[in-house]
Amino acid sequence: MSTPRLALVTCADLPDLDDEDAPLIPALAERGVTAEAVVWDDPAVDWSRYDLTVIRSAWDFSTRRQEFVAWAGSVPRLVNPPNVVRWNSDKHYLQALEDHGLPVVQTTWLEPERQFDKRALHNRFPAREDFVIKPAISSGTLDAGRYTATDADSRRYAIEHAKRLLDEGRSVMVQRYLPEVDSHGEIALVFFHGTYSHATRKAAMLTTEDVEAERPRAEVMEPYHATPEEIAAGQQTLAFARARIPGRSISSRPLAYARVDLVPTHGKPVLMELELIEPSLFVSLGRGALDRFADSLVAELRMGPDSNNIDLA
């Protein structure tokens, strides 16, 4: 029996993977799997050589989403699968989850075809509280900015920020800034095949002194002991998504990996983002997390394709 081969997908800027993902290679070797880092847009790669292809640090996808989604649809045995990539790579998925009753951070959507002028943008921003502007297709804090509604200069910068993104043909999100992000931090819950693994807490990254970020800001993470309510909220989010991603259903196999980002607001967890493509999983901050991740990929190899997961292009 030949040794299984596994591709860990990265980008040209990180040809040897992110530091959090590089230890997967020896961990998988201990389990009899040959894994290697592979750049997703390298034309010389023959993806059919691999028994499983796992997206990890392909962090340039947001600036080339159409190309990345097309690539995902061409790869045999992709994890997480192409229909998940297509759905989760555009943050409009938050609207779909909110429409079905999931607690989601309050968001106003601005679409480029509406051709908003500056006055119309002004009228769509909150009147009193801090708010965040970012594109619906983005990675990390890239092109995101935090603004103060009651400060005239800050509001003017926000209008200019939104107008630039809209003029580029990009959908814009205007989100209420939750003060609990500053006082408590953002919680990232990591799941492998639907089972809770570990959690981390991220310190606030956006300040009102910033305008917009031209590159992602570095995340400051620490281990976190998630509450039962937070874990249950993460599981509920994954169940909602499994039932509503086109081509998936409640009977589909849970995804090999997922990250649910929450903020506790008035004692209730509110969803900030659901990361199903290439999230940092912070395995170095969870005891035994690297082993659990490696085991989930070995299990994915053994289980074969999920017949209840259909790619609807």
Side-chain angles (χ1 to χ4, degrees):
M1 182 176 177
S2 60
T3 302
R5 295 180 60 84
L6 188 150
L8 296 171
V9 178
T10 187
C11 60
D13 288 341
L14 292 167
D16 298 318
L17 297 170
D18 176 72
D19 290 344
E20 284 284 321
D21 290 319
L24 267 176
I25 293 177
L28 287 165
E30 292 174 359
R31 291 158 173 79
V33 176
T34 298
E36 60 188 38
V38 189
V39 175
W40 73 270
D41 59 349
D42 182 348
V45 176
D46 178 4
W47 297 100
S48 67
R49 295 175 54 233
Y50 299 101
D51 299 288
L52 195 68
T53 298
V54 181
I55 303 173
R56 289 314 310 130
S57 41
W59 291 340
D60 58 350
F61 87 88
S62 65
T63 60
R64 303 163 62 189
R65 176 181 179 262
Q66 196 169 13
E67 183 181 351
F68 187 75
V69 169
W71 165 82
S74 72
V75 177
R77 297 250 12 228
L78 185 70
V79 173
N80 286 323
N83 53 352
V84 174
V85 172
R86 188 177 301 110
W87 182 82
N88 194 232
S89 56
D90 184 330
K91 291 183 175 62
H92 280 89
Y93 71 79
L94 288 171
Q95 183 67 63
L97 296 178
E98 184 181 27
D99 288 346
H100 287 89
L102 203 68
V104 172
V105 61
Q106 182 180 329
T107 303
T108 298
W109 301 88
L110 307 176
E111 305 301 342
E113 57 268 21
R114 294 288 303 276
Q115 297 184 327
F116 294 102
D117 59 22
K118 291 183 177 181
R119 178 176 292 276
L121 291 174
H122 171 84
N123 291 336
R124 280 161 177 79
F125 295 163
R128 295 181 179 84
E129 56 210 1
D130 282 7
F131 60 96
V132 172
I133 287 178
K134 61 185 177 182
I137 298 172
S138 62
S139 180
T141 57
L142 184 64
D143 291 321
R146 175 181 170 182
Y147 302 95
T148 300
T150 55
D151 181 277
D153 286 338
S154 185
R155 202 171 184 90
R156 175 169 56 83
Y157 292 141
I159 290 170
E160 292 172 355
H161 182 180
K163 192 75 166 64
R164 179 183 66 77
L165 294 174
L166 290 165
D167 287 348
E168 292 172 358
R170 303 166 77 181
S171 296
V172 172
M173 307 166 68
V174 182
Q175 292 185 318
R176 174 179 172 243
Y177 188 83
L178 301 178
E180 291 84 356
V181 174
D182 290 332
S183 61
H184 185 276
E186 191 172 322
I187 308 308
L189 305 168
V190 177
F191 296 82
F192 298 126
H193 281 129
T195 299
Y196 172 70
S197 169
H198 61 287
T200 60
R201 177 161 54 192
K202 177 171 63 178
M205 297 175 67
L206 297 176
T207 72
T208 52
E209 281 73 41
D210 298 325
V211 182
E212 57 185 290
E214 296 180 354
R215 62 188 63 187
R217 296 172 177 86
E219 296 177 319
V220 179
M221 310 298 299
E222 63 180 5
Y224 177 77
H225 184 72
T227 67
E229 184 178 32
E230 288 164 347
I231 295 171
Q235 292 169 330
Q236 180 189 30
T237 299
L238 293 176
F240 261 65
R242 185 164 38 160
R244 290 166 180 86
I245 296 174
R248 290 180 64 77
S249 70
I250 200 64
S251 61
S252 296
R253 185 163 70 227
L255 296 173
Y257 58 86
R259 198 183 89 197
V260 182
D261 294 349
L262 305 171
V263 172
T265 305
H266 304 300
K268 300 274 187 182
V270 171
L271 179 67
M272 298 294 285
E273 290 198 19
L274 174 59
E275 299 273 9
L276 305 179
I277 302 175
E278 36 58 75
S280 295
L281 299 174
F282 310 113
V283 292
S284 66
L285 298 179
R287 181 178 298 177
L290 176 63
D291 288 330
R292 288 190 291 275
F293 190 16
D295 288 342
S296 77
L297 298 181
V298 171
E300 193 74 22
L301 271 167
R302 291 173 177 165
M303 287 186 286
D306 183 0
S307 60
N308 290 312
N309 187 84
I310 304 167
D311 185 25
L312 301 176

